Amino acid sequence: MQFMWFTERAYHDIPEDEVIRSRSFFGLPNTHFDPKKGSDLLNQYLDEKIYSEELEEFDAVMLNEHHATPFCLGSVMDVEASVLARATKRLRIVLLGNPIPTVANPLRLAEELAMIDLISRGRLVPGFIRGAGSEQLANNANPAFNREYFDEAHDLIIQAWTRPGPFRFEGKHFHYRFVNPWVKPLQQPHPPIWIPGLVSPDTVMWCAKKRYPYIALATFLEPTTELWDIYTKTAAREGYQAGPENFGYLQPVFVAGNQQHGEEMGKRFLFGGGFAHFAKAEWMFPPGYNSKAATQRMARQFANPNLPGKSIMPSGDEEVVDVLAAKQAIYASYAETRENLQMIAGTPDHVIPRLKKVLSVLRPGIFTFWLDGPVPAKDRMECLRLLGTEVIPALREHGRALGLVDPFERKPGSRSLAASGAPDPVADVDMLQAAV
């Protein structure tokens, strides 16, 4: 298995009441930003990633990118990745991912990523995303063309890495008379590509056709098994058997020396409403952004702090918010979040059996710990230490017992189908009912 960890690199020195009142981090005025604090935080977050190099059980660190929001200071994650490429020697650098529909110049992005791969000596794992709906607004991109932008930019980047130049690229949206990048990736024919997602079956099927691993971002377990099934059936139509190497999962996890402290860290993840308040629904899912199937699947999801655009606050007039009552409702949801394993927090002895259940249900070859919320730096570092020294060793042993191989142990898409042509399921849905 591949184990890595992730943080949004958030700027938490903002009024929580204002976030709750607007039900959105996106759109909060940048007058709240203090450059000195921002500088301290970015360096802290880089130090945490570099510290992971010392914890040998971590295989990789994960970065992402968002714009125009205090929820994520990594507005240009390739800058952070380039720092880590030089400052570390062992860790893979996983980017989940570059929002290519909002990148005005995908050829420039291909060159940036190739440079990072070269500087890291072949440790880059790029990932491409459509970008949240709010990213379209922040970057002045038409959401109705999002999928077309994504497909076309992806194809251009792959060609720039693999096709001898110079050549001409003429698409519907991107036009290049001269494509001839001299900086190309060290990993050949190109670095491995992983794709993250929330609930879109379109993205899952696209990944299966490309034989790219799909990383589910803290979605409920049962709907996630449904996505696994969509991928597996699509893979079968493409002529191969999907396995753990085709799947990854992101899980909020907080570990401390005692249970109460761990739980308090977990509760801070709900600051401002958590990921549910990443952006208002009308900004998160603007007209034309999602397909009908993705919209229907989103409508079936329960509101939770890991699902953007669906507030966990009581419904009502959004113009009139009782902030105190709303805050109480947000933090009161912690118990349910913990019960359904959307949040796992506590001592190593507490979190390990619950994480083993997640692995037993989903059977992913890639697993990512998500650490966020306004938690003191020393507590974050202690959490990483406990993950690296106590939690990951136990999970790695469990993964071996389950036969969970990662994309570097077995190439995604390399397994043949059974003679019957029917694919074997990857997830074990019976384990959903297993006691912890």
Side-chain angles (χ1 to χ4, degrees), residues 3-226:
F3 288 96
M4 58 186 181
W5 78 277
F6 161 74
T7 181
E8 289 278 0
R9 292 94 73 219
Y11 185 92
H12 286 123
D13 193 25
I14 53 178
E16 183 178 22
D17 289 0
E18 188 169 341
V19 178
I20 292 173
R21 188 175 291 108
S22 65
R23 303 183 186 222
S24 177
F25 285 90
F26 181 81
L28 198 69
N30 64 8
T31 51
H32 293 292
F33 181 73
D34 180 336
K36 173 62 169 60
K37 292 177 181 177
S39 174
D40 290 343
L41 280 171
L42 282 172
N43 280 280
Q44 173 194 321
Y45 294 139
L46 286 170
D47 288 343
E48 291 171 353
K49 293 291 195 296
I50 294 169
Y51 172 59
S52 306
E53 178 99 341
E54 301 175 22
L55 301 169
E56 295 184 0
E57 287 292 338
F58 280 106
D59 302 298
V61 290
M62 171 184 157
L63 296 169
N64 73 332
E65 181 173 315
H66 288 301
H67 301 90
T69 175
F71 200 85
C72 176
L73 289 178
S75 55
V76 188
M77 69 173 174
D78 291 357
V79 173
E80 298 168 275
S82 65
V83 173
L84 295 174
R86 186 67 178 123
T88 62
K89 302 297 182 184
R90 178 185 61 82
L91 292 169
R92 288 189 172 91
I93 302 166
V94 181
L95 308 182
L96 299 181
N98 288 107
I100 54 178
T102 66
V103 174
N105 191 337
L107 179 57
R108 167 65 181 261
L109 177 59
E111 293 178 310
E112 289 177 6
L113 296 175
M115 288 188 67
I116 295 169
D117 195 50
L118 291 170
I119 294 170
S120 70
R121 300 191 184 278
R123 290 181 288 124
L124 177 69
V125 179
F128 304 128
I129 61 173
R130 295 173 56 207
S134 57
E135 310 292 346
Q136 321 308 306
L137 307 179
N139 292 279
N140 199 35
N142 189 334
F145 292 139
N146 179 277
R147 177 64 68 177
E148 293 180 7
Y149 290 151
F150 179 89
D151 290 340
E152 202 169 292
H154 165 271
D155 292 348
L156 173 56
I157 291 169
I158 298 299
Q159 289 187 40
W161 285 343
T162 60
R163 181 178 171 184
F167 62 88
R168 187 183 184 110
F169 184 93
E170 294 292 348
K172 178 179 178 180
H173 301 286
F174 299 107
H175 306 274
Y176 291 88
R177 293 192 177 99
F178 189 80
V179 182
N180 190 39
W182 267 82
V183 177
K184 303 183 80 170
L186 180 62
Q187 299 178 84
Q188 293 295 314
H190 59 73
I193 296 171
W194 300 352
I195 306 295
L198 286 167
V199 295
S200 172
D202 305 298
T203 299
V204 172
M205 290 186 286
W206 183 87
C207 285
K209 292 175 182 177
K210 297 290 185 183
R211 308 191 181 203
Y212 293 157
Y214 175 80
I215 316 298
L217 301 179
T219 46
F220 274 107
L221 293 182
E222 186 171 1
T224 304
T225 65
E226 296 173 2

Side-chain angles (χ1 to χ4, degrees), residues 114-414:
M115 288 188 67
I116 295 169
D117 195 50
L118 291 170
I119 294 170
S120 70
R121 300 191 184 278
R123 290 181 288 124
L124 177 69
V125 179
F128 304 128
I129 61 173
R130 295 173 56 207
S134 57
E135 310 292 346
Q136 321 308 306
L137 307 179
N139 292 279
N140 199 35
N142 189 334
F145 292 139
N146 179 277
R147 177 64 68 177
E148 293 180 7
Y149 290 151
F150 179 89
D151 290 340
E152 202 169 292
H154 165 271
D155 292 348
L156 173 56
I157 291 169
I158 298 299
Q159 289 187 40
W161 285 343
T162 60
R163 181 178 171 184
F167 62 88
R168 187 183 184 110
F169 184 93
E170 294 292 348
K172 178 179 178 180
H173 301 286
F174 299 107
H175 306 274
Y176 291 88
R177 293 192 177 99
F178 189 80
V179 182
N180 190 39
W182 267 82
V183 177
K184 303 183 80 170
L186 180 62
Q187 299 178 84
Q188 293 295 314
H190 59 73
I193 296 171
W194 300 352
I195 306 295
L198 286 167
V199 295
S200 172
D202 305 298
T203 299
V204 172
M205 290 186 286
W206 183 87
C207 285
K209 292 175 182 177
K210 297 290 185 183
R211 308 191 181 203
Y212 293 157
Y214 175 80
I215 316 298
L217 301 179
T219 46
F220 274 107
L221 293 182
E222 186 171 1
T224 304
T225 65
E226 296 173 2
L227 291 176
W228 268 214
D229 191 48
I230 292 171
Y231 188 116
T232 300
K233 290 178 179 178
T234 305
R237 290 194 291 270
E238 295 294 315
Y240 72 94
Q241 171 66 53
E245 67 274 16
N246 295 89
F247 299 103
Y249 190 66
L250 172 72
Q251 172 81 56
V253 179
F254 299 87
V255 188
N258 65 74
Q259 187 64 26
Q260 182 179 356
H261 193 183
E263 299 275 10
E264 287 301 320
M265 292 169 63
K267 290 175 184 176
R268 299 311 293 156
F269 184 81
L270 301 176
F271 177 84
F275 199 27
H277 284 175
F278 177 82
K280 291 182 179 181
E282 60 265 33
W283 295 339
M284 195 69 195
F285 310 109
Y289 173 76
N290 270 337
S291 69
K292 182 181 294 186
T295 301
Q296 290 172 338
R297 180 170 288 275
M298 176 65 71
R300 294 200 303 269
Q301 301 296 302
F302 296 108
N304 73 82
N306 303 337
L307 186 64
K310 295 193 75 173
S311 176
I312 57 179
M313 289 163 48
S315 60
D317 186 354
E318 294 198 7
E319 300 303 319
V320 181
V321 177
D322 183 334
V323 174
L324 180 59
K327 189 179 295 186
Q328 290 173 342
I330 288 170
Y331 288 103
S333 71
Y334 175 75
E336 183 179 356
T337 301
R338 180 185 57 191
E339 182 68 21
N340 59 35
L341 299 182
Q342 286 300 103
M343 171 87 67
I344 299 178
T347 64
D349 288 343
H350 179 84
V351 304
I352 287 171
R354 287 157 179 79
L355 289 170
K356 284 183 176 180
K357 175 175 179 176
V358 173
L359 295 184
S360 297
V361 171
L362 299 180
R363 300 176 57 83
I366 305 161
F367 192 84
T368 307
F369 304 95
W370 183 3
L371 172 60
D372 255 311
V375 175
K378 63 180 180 61
D379 291 340
R380 291 170 61 92
M381 294 290 269
E382 177 64 3
C383 177
L384 291 174
R385 187 190 70 79
L386 291 171
L387 287 172
T389 58
E390 298 190 35
V391 177
I392 295 178
L395 298 184
R396 199 180 294 278
E397 182 179 350
H398 186 65
R400 289 194 192 100
L402 293 174
L404 305 186
V405 297
D406 64 51
F408 300 103
E409 296 175 284
R410 184 165 61 204
K411 184 178 179 180
S414 63

